[in-house]
Amino acid sequence: MENLISLVNKIQRACTALGDYGEESTLPTLWDALPAIAVVGGQSSGKSSVLESVVGKDFLPRGSGIVTRRPLVLQLHKIDEGREYAEFLHLPRKRFTDFAAVRQEISDETDRETGRSKQISAVPIHLSIYSPNVVNLTLVDLPGLTKVAVEGQPDSIVHDIENMVRSFIEKPNCIILAISPANQDLATSDAIKISREVDPRGERTFGVLTKIDLMDKGTDAVDILEGKSYKLQFPWIGVVNRSQADINKSVDMIAARRREREYFSNSPEYKHLAHRMGSEHLGKMLSKHLETVIKSRIPGLQSLISKTIAELESELSRLGKPIASDAGGKLYMIMEICRCFDQIFKEHLDGIRPGGDKVYNVFDSQLPAALKRLQFDKQLSMENVKKLITEADGYQPHLIAPEQGYRRLIESSIVTIRGPAEAAVDAVHAILKDLVHKSISETLELKQYPSLRVEVTNAACEALDRMKEESRRATVQLVDMETSYLTVEFFRKLPQDIEKGGNPTHSIFDRYNDSYLRRIGTTVLSYVTMVVASLRNSIPKSVVYCQVRAAKRSLLDHFFADLGKKETKQLGSLLDEDPAVMQRRTNLAKRLELYRSAQAEIDAVAWSK
């Protein structure tokens, strides 16, 4: 069972090293899930003496006022033989054999964190003591509760200490060691009062009664120690600490323990309780209880760690990879992010993601509707046909068929198709731009880097603008081609089609006859209708080739070309991640490291059992 306490010790040290010591944080905390024994007591309650008795060494700072101003995580390790020594987590390669130096280092490390202002801090100091005279045990010594602020301390110090102590002991995994002096009324005990608030049934509170030997003559603490005055789930334990005179004389702690045993064994009032009194019994009992609690918590701890690891990995994945430091790494990172965006954009066009179907809707619905709305009947009205035919004849009337008139009528009609053709180009352009913006928002990696997001968006939109102009030229050219060369075969059939309005050759005798003009209009309309049907099929091909296919193939080509010319600093400016996000990723990575390490340690112990 001893390695269970060692396991928690390792995890606690790792927690502190990575900044996890139970304070309010946006990061998950492992500290709160670890079973711990918190030592609580008012000033002058004998709290420090109890800890020193358990350890068997003088090592805690002493003095008036608030001496303990930071939590002290005291980890005791029993060794078989050898010289006693101590180590601090913040001085990992330094071993202390002089415990007076340990006392001084606690004071110095407290001042490093809080300054000499007598303020308090929740950042713990980790001290490990290795000795053959201790049991395997971990205790957290908290600042002593006080009722008044001393000189140099803010008026809020009383509440600050109380809030810090409460934040530790209110956690369900915390075992409370409540230190109360026997020579004061238990009803006024600071430790019992605050313990009762967070553990009203006394299910995780151990009561320790100090200064029993200093009680007034004729009084004793039997009722308290027997649980009659204030009942807890666990038996009260009485201790007899060294007197101030003993401390001044540097009385050996081992001798002090022996005198403590003799006091309880020889006192008529306490003789029947002697077997469960004293600091030695306190240490063994706490060690055994802590082991039991740790063992019962391991399954829940494993579950919590596994769940938290999954959450941390998920958030780290969402935040993306950290930024590379070299130019090559930065360039590669930008290219990979752009490829992710490009792939998402293609998926929209290919139907894997929604949106690409809107392009087809332009060709299947919008373009045909626009072509249908063209008012060729106005263009080919009797008045307009006569006007254009007459103008085309000039000073000399046509002899057989009004070829120039036909051409002008056809050209003036076909030119109007430019409008729907250009509208189709613009509609597809708008759809592609919308898909670019959607793809940008769906590319999680781009959310990390605002400048890169803006640059990629601008580059993609500029590319679409270039493709739109190319598509416009190509599509308008298709329309213009139809006006530049007419389909001869269509007109060769006209003289044979006499019954539908007369042979155009008759125009030499009456070139402005209404029937003749109507025939011309009908012929031109038939030809234009044939051209519209042809363009309805060819315009989508041109638009898709020049815009959709080009966007799939080379949307960011210009951006990539410019990217290769940029210096490291310029590349870095594109990867201008929010400092808060960078810090968050770093913190999450450290916390993930802690949880994985804890998982490995716990699994090793669980399997060994």
Side-chain angles (χ1 to χ4, degrees):
M1 293 293 283
E2 291 178 359
N3 55 354
L4 289 177
I5 293 179
S6 298
L7 165 69
V8 172
N9 288 347
K10 286 180 185 178
I11 298 174
Q12 281 181 332
R13 286 197 295 270
C15 284
T16 298
L18 293 174
D20 175 12
Y21 35 83
E23 280 198 320
E24 287 188 15
S25 170
T26 57
L27 295 169
T29 174
L30 184 55
W31 179 281
D32 291 348
L34 299 174
I37 300 174
V39 185
V40 181
Q43 288 184 29
S44 303
S45 63
K47 183 165 61 74
S48 296
S49 295
V50 169
L51 290 173
E52 290 182 332
S53 294
V54 171
V55 175
K57 284 290 179 183
D58 288 309
F59 68 97
L60 291 173
R62 293 181 179 274
S64 59
I66 302 171
V67 179
T68 304
R69 291 185 284 122
R70 289 175 60 182
L72 175 67
V73 180
L74 178 60
Q75 298 179 343
L76 306 181
H77 306 266
K78 185 175 180 62
I79 56 177
D80 294 332
E81 56 184 19
R83 190 175 183 185
E84 299 167 305
Y85 66 92
E87 290 178 343
F88 287 94
L89 179 64
H90 64 274
L91 298 172
R93 288 177 292 276
K94 187 171 182 179
R95 183 173 289 190
F96 291 79
T97 54
D98 179 1
F99 281 80
V102 172
R103 181 188 302 117
Q104 185 60 47
E105 181 57 31
I106 293 173
S107 296
D108 292 345
E109 177 61 13
T110 299
D111 289 340
R112 290 185 196 112
E113 180 69 27
T114 64
R116 298 184 177 275
S117 60
K118 298 185 180 179
Q119 291 278 14
I120 62 171
S121 168
V123 181
I125 298 173
H126 274 259
L127 173 62
S128 295
I129 294 178
Y130 300 81
S131 168
N133 301 315
V134 299
V135 292
N136 289 297
L137 183 61
T138 301
L139 301 164
V140 183
D141 183 23
L142 298 173
L145 297 160
T146 185
K147 290 183 171 60
V148 293
V150 299
E151 186 178 351
Q153 292 178 332
D155 294 336
S156 63
I157 194 71
V158 175
H159 297 294
D160 292 343
I161 293 175
E162 189 174 314
N163 291 336
M164 181 196 290
V165 171
R166 187 178 286 105
S167 71
F168 270 84
I169 66 174
E170 69 185 358
K171 291 156 188 169
N173 290 309
C174 181
I175 301 161
I176 306 167
L177 191 64
I179 311 292
S180 302
N183 59 350
Q184 293 180 14
D185 187 353
L186 195 63
T188 64
S189 167
D190 296 318
I192 292 298
K193 177 177 176 292
I194 197 168
S195 299
R196 185 183 293 162
E197 290 177 12
V198 299
D199 181 30
R201 299 174 63 180
E203 294 176 341
R204 51 188 181 89
T205 301
F206 285 83
V208 177
L209 208 58
T210 63
K211 303 186 181 182
I212 293 177
D213 55 328
L214 302 180
M215 294 181 71
D216 293 337
K217 287 186 179 181
T219 61
D220 59 56
V222 172
D223 284 349
I224 297 174
L225 295 175
E226 289 182 347
K228 295 176 181 177
S229 295
Y230 185 80
K231 187 173 180 58
L232 297 172
Q233 183 170 316
F234 304 100
W236 280 81
I237 299 173
V239 297
V240 175
N241 299 325
R242 293 179 300 164
S243 65
Q244 188 60 49
D246 291 337
I247 295 171
N248 294 339
K249 293 176 184 178
S250 300
V251 171
D252 180 70
M253 197 67 72
I254 303 302
R257 284 182 180 176
R258 185 175 61 252
R259 285 169 52 181
E260 182 184 41
R261 286 195 300 271
E262 292 172 354
Y263 175 84
F264 285 111
S265 298
N266 299 330
S267 298
E269 300 90 345
Y270 308 116
K271 187 181 295 185
H272 65 293
L273 300 172
H275 64 285
R276 58 179 181 85
M277 295 292 120
S279 54
E280 280 186 284
H281 173 75
L282 174 64
K284 292 176 182 176
M285 184 269 301
L286 289 176
S287 177
K288 184 176 180 181
H289 182 73
L290 183 58
E291 289 169 351
T292 303
V293 171
I294 292 171
K295 186 177 182 181
S296 69
R297 296 289 195 277
I298 280 183
L301 203 53
Q302 287 175 308
S303 176
L304 171 68
I305 289 174
S306 297
K307 178 184 175 185
T308 308
I309 285 175
E311 291 172 352
L312 290 169
E313 289 175 338
S314 174
E315 185 172 358
L316 276 171
S317 175
R318 182 179 60 79
L319 291 178
K321 298 176 182 177
I323 301 171
S325 56
D326 60 299
K330 285 182 168 65
L331 181 60
Y332 177 79
M333 190 172 189
I334 292 171
M335 296 284 284
E336 284 298 298
I337 292 172
C338 290
R339 287 191 188 102
C340 289
F341 155 73
D342 197 45
Q343 182 59 36
I344 291 172
F345 178 72
K346 289 175 181 175
E347 287 175 1
H348 276 293
L349 290 175
D350 293 338
I352 299 172
R353 296 171 186 253
D357 57 305
K358 293 180 180 178
V359 174
Y360 174 72
N361 186 59
V362 171
F363 305 141
D364 187 57
S365 177
Q366 186 175 324
L367 176 62
L371 292 172
K372 195 173 183 179
R373 286 195 298 270
L374 292 175
Q375 297 179 338
F376 295 123
D377 54 340
K378 287 186 178 180
Q379 191 69 23
L380 300 175
S381 65
M382 293 291 288
E383 294 80 3
N384 202 43
V385 170
K386 184 175 182 178
K387 177 176 179 292
L388 288 178
I389 292 292
T390 305
E391 289 176 352
D393 282 349
Y395 73 92
Q396 183 172 317
H398 59 269
L399 298 177
I400 300 177
E403 181 178 329
Q404 290 301 319
Y406 269 111
R407 290 186 182 278
R408 291 191 183 184
L409 283 168
I410 290 170
E411 286 175 8
S412 64
S413 298
I414 290 177
V415 162
T416 61
I417 302 175
R418 283 182 177 181
E422 290 182 324
V425 170
D426 292 336
V428 170
H429 177 69
I431 291 169
L432 293 177
K433 285 188 79 170
D434 183 58
L435 292 181
V436 161
H437 290 294
K438 278 186 178 180
S439 301
I440 290 286
S441 65
E442 291 170 8
T443 306
L444 298 178
E445 293 84 353
L446 282 174
K447 292 182 179 179
Q448 293 177 237
Y449 312 109
S451 292
L452 180 59
R453 184 170 65 242
V454 170
E455 288 292 323
V456 172
T457 303
N458 291 342
C461 290
E462 287 170 7
L464 291 179
D465 289 341
R466 288 191 296 270
M467 294 168 189
K468 180 185 77 170
E469 292 309 312
E470 178 62 30
S471 180
R472 189 189 303 278
R473 282 193 295 271
T475 305
V476 169
Q477 278 179 346
L478 286 177
V479 178
D480 292 345
M481 286 175 191
E482 294 292 344
T483 64
S484 63
Y485 186 82
L486 306 184
T487 303
V488 179
E489 289 299 319
F490 178 87
F491 292 96
R492 283 176 178 169
K493 296 176 182 178
L494 292 180
Q496 301 171 12
D497 197 8
I498 300 173
E499 296 178 3
K500 293 185 179 180
N503 193 321
T505 57
H506 293 174
S507 62
I508 191 169
F509 303 106
D510 189 0
R511 58 182 180 147
Y512 301 124
N513 179 279
D514 285 350
S515 175
Y516 175 59
L517 293 175
R518 190 177 301 109
R519 167 68 176 173
I520 292 175
T522 303
T523 302
V524 170
L525 181 60
S526 297
Y527 184 83
V528 171
T529 302
M530 179 190 74
V531 171
V532 167
S534 174
L535 288 175
R536 178 178 172 178
N537 294 322
S538 58
I539 287 173
K541 293 176 182 179
S542 173
V543 171
V544 168
Y545 182 82
C546 295
Q547 289 175 265
V548 180
R549 187 178 175 188
K552 285 180 66 177
R553 190 170 47 197
S554 58
L555 184 63
L556 294 179
D557 279 7
H558 282 75
F559 178 72
F560 288 150
D562 292 339
L563 204 59
K565 303 172 187 176
K566 293 185 182 292
E567 302 291 335
T568 305
K569 188 175 181 181
Q570 293 173 308
L571 293 172
S573 67
L574 291 176
L575 299 173
D576 62 337
E577 189 174 28
D578 184 349
V581 174
M582 295 173 68
Q583 187 61 48
R584 176 75 177 173
R585 185 190 296 107
T586 300
N587 292 342
L588 286 171
K590 289 181 179 179
R591 199 57 56 97
L592 181 59
E593 177 190 347
L594 165 65
Y595 274 79
R596 284 175 175 164
S597 173
Q599 186 180 53
E601 295 281 359
I602 291 174
D603 287 348
V605 171
W607 279 109
S608 68
K609 295 300 171 187

